[in-house]
Amino acid sequence: MTRKTSIRTLIAALAISALALAALAGTASAAGPAPTKVLIQAESGGFFGSVKSPKLVCKSERTIVLYKQLGSKPRPATDQQVGMDTAQANGNGYEWDMGNPGLHSGRYYAHAVRTPQCLAANSVTLRAQE
């Protein structure tokens, strides 16, 4: 093998390695933000629930906002914000609790705020329990 052939072989190997690394980096970023699920329960005028996700960062210290639903569908951009809490580890899960904010009639849902690593999510809508 001549010196020119060795250099060409080395350059080709480096180019293939660079392409492989670029493909791996693209796959990692294509995975994107993790899904999130927010569960809600109502009891005696209060709301509480849990947060589920395959990524720990999407459950621990996750901001949960309680909204009063004004229309036929949950819309965090236009619905009335009535409370906020941060999900905390509790046993095997991550829970949030608004306590009893004194809410009466109406329909309410919990919303997990989107972060760079986690998708936003809404819970089901519940009626306040007086």
Side-chain angles (χ1 to χ4, degrees):
M1 197 185 308
T2 67
R3 183 172 167 89
K4 282 186 178 181
T5 305
S6 295
I7 292 174
R8 287 182 184 155
T9 304
L10 178 61
I11 290 171
L14 288 172
I16 290 170
S17 297
L19 287 173
L21 286 173
L24 285 174
T27 303
S29 65
T36 301
K37 186 172 185 176
V38 182
L39 304 174
I40 186 172
Q41 295 180 47
E43 184 176 284
S44 303
F47 292 91
F48 62 96
S50 60
V51 180
K52 298 182 182 291
S53 178
K55 283 188 179 178
L56 177 61
V57 69
C58 297
K59 301 179 280 193
S60 179
E61 303 295 322
R62 187 72 180 272
T63 300
I64 306 298
V65 181
L66 183 66
Y67 286 96
K68 181 174 185 178
Q69 185 174 312
L70 302 177
S72 61
K73 294 181 185 178
R75 289 195 171 96
T78 58
D79 288 336
Q80 180 184 354
Q81 181 178 330
V82 294
M84 186 181 300
D85 193 27
T86 303
Q88 302 290 325
N90 188 357
N92 293 342
Y94 291 83
E95 297 180 353
W96 58 271
D97 190 342
M98 298 292 167
N100 187 340
L103 302 172
H104 298 291
S105 63
R107 295 175 300 160
Y108 299 87
Y109 65 94
H111 174 76
V113 177
R114 182 183 171 95
T115 69
Q117 301 92 4
C118 317
L119 293 173
N122 292 333
S123 69
V124 298
T125 301
L126 298 178
R127 291 205 175 273
Q129 303 276 314
E130 295 185 47

